[in-house]
Amino acid sequence: MTPPVEQRVRDLRLDRRALRVEHARVAWWRRIVRARLDLAVARATGPDVLGEGVAFQLPLEVGVAVPRPAELAAVLGADQAGGDIAQLDELRSLDARLASYQAGVEAALQRATERLIANLAHDPATASQLLNRPLGRG
């Protein structure tokens, strides 16, 4: 039978692992939503002309290679701009909900870390042995 301290430490390590995975997933989704927001705003505003304000400060070979606004607009898929503008509020709301969820996951991860540290500090003699074992429920 697994000693109670060892079982608590194992459970806390598993909790932390699950929370770290969830934190990575929500952070990934927030990056996607924010990128979608950036794309929607870029489509709505259209690309700025690059190079106009610095044309004389750049070497000629750099200045002639600058992409034109039409090339940048093609990358944005500007023909879809109307749908993106309509989704701005929805995307902002989704990002706010994801941010709130992410903060909750971070707080839970912090609490799990504090509990793990407290349990390891309670029995320092076995702490190093427990941390070097493979993590599993059994």
Side-chain angles (χ1 to χ4, degrees), residues 29-88:
W29 275 108
R30 285 206 64 211
R31 286 192 311 271
I32 289 172
V33 169
R34 287 185 304 230
R36 185 81 165 111
L37 271 165
D38 287 345
L39 185 57
V41 169
R43 284 179 176 162
T45 61
D48 288 335
V49 177
L50 297 176
E52 280 185 345
V54 294
F56 295 108
Q57 288 81 25
L58 295 172
L60 183 59
E61 64 274 7
V62 173
V64 297
V66 66
R68 300 292 167 229
E71 294 173 284
L72 297 173
V75 170
L76 294 174
D79 57 320
Q80 301 171 10
D84 285 330
I85 293 170
Q87 287 185 324
L88 284 176

Side-chain angles (χ1 to χ4, degrees), residues 8-9 12-13 15-16 19 106-122:
R8 280 193 307 270
V9 168
L12 287 169
R13 288 178 70 199
D15 289 350
R16 286 192 72 248
L19 287 166
E106 288 170 354
L109 178 56
Q110 181 65 33
R111 286 190 305 273
T113 300
E114 289 168 1
R115 286 192 313 268
L116 176 63
I117 291 168
N119 273 275
L120 291 173
H122 178 69

